[in-house]
């Protein structure tokens, strides 16, 4: 019986450990890398359209300063995550596998 309790306590998730999987993941940098690729892809006029013209001014200043402390509300990550479907389409249409991998990493680790 005592062994059963020990096993149970080892399997319990403590509140202070519930988000341990996010430890050491730099979601700000992941989002920056996605935007880096997006800006690079959009330099080709065939990839630019009205959607991306409206999107570009929404990129928070924190991206340009590359300082996560300038983005306490995580607006950059929110921008990437909430538009990931469209960003993925952009990268797919551009046939840019490296950019797609960066987006998928950001989505999986942070969104």
């Amino acid at each position: 019986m005592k062994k059963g309790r020990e096993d149970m306590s080892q399997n319990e998730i403590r509140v202070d450990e519930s988000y341990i999987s996010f430890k050491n993941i730099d979601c700000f940098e992941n989002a920056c890398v996605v935007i880096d690729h997006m800006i690079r892809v959009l330099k080709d006029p065939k990839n630019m359209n009205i959607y991306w013209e409206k999107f570009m001014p929404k990129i928070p200043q924190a991206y340009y300063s590359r300082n996560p402390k300038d983005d306490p509300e995580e607006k950059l990550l929110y921008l990437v995550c909430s538009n990931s479907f469209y960003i993925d389409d952009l990268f797919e249409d551009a046939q840019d596998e490296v950019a797609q991998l960066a987006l998928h990493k950001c989505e999986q680790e942070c969104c």
Side-chain angles (χ1 to χ4, degrees):
M1 189 84 167
K2 187 175 181 182
K3 184 176 186 208
R5 286 184 187 170
E6 287 174 9
D7 290 341
M8 183 184 294
S9 65
Q10 289 176 355
N11 293 331
E12 288 180 27
I13 298 174
R14 294 183 1 215
V15 173
D16 62 329
E17 294 179 339
S18 62
Y19 293 103
I20 197 79
S21 64
F22 292 101
K23 190 174 182 179
N24 299 323
I25 295 175
D26 190 345
C27 290
F28 180 80
E29 184 58 26
N30 284 350
C32 283
V33 170
V34 171
I35 298 294
D36 289 343
H37 287 294
M38 196 184 80
I39 289 172
R40 179 181 49 75
V41 167
L42 290 173
K43 284 184 181 176
D44 185 340
K46 74 177 183 178
N47 296 320
M48 184 58 82
N49 61 35
I50 191 72
Y51 181 83
W52 298 115
E53 288 174 11
K54 300 244 183 221
F55 181 95
M56 295 301 287
K58 294 179 182 179
I59 298 172
Q61 186 58 39
Y63 165 76
Y64 299 103
S65 68
R66 271 315 227 256
N67 186 349
K69 291 179 181 174
D70 293 341
D71 193 14
E73 295 176 6
E74 298 183 330
K75 291 180 180 181
L76 180 64
L77 182 61
Y78 179 78
L79 184 68
V80 169
C81 292
S82 64
N83 289 279
S84 63
F85 179 80
Y86 302 107
I87 297 170
D88 191 47
D89 276 352
L90 172 69
F91 294 161
E92 188 175 324
D93 290 346
Q95 298 179 344
D96 192 324
E97 291 181 19
V98 174
Q100 283 183 298
L101 289 173
L103 175 62
H104 293 164
K105 178 181 189 239
C106 186
E107 282 182 301
Q108 219 167 19
E109 292 182 356
C110 304
C111 294

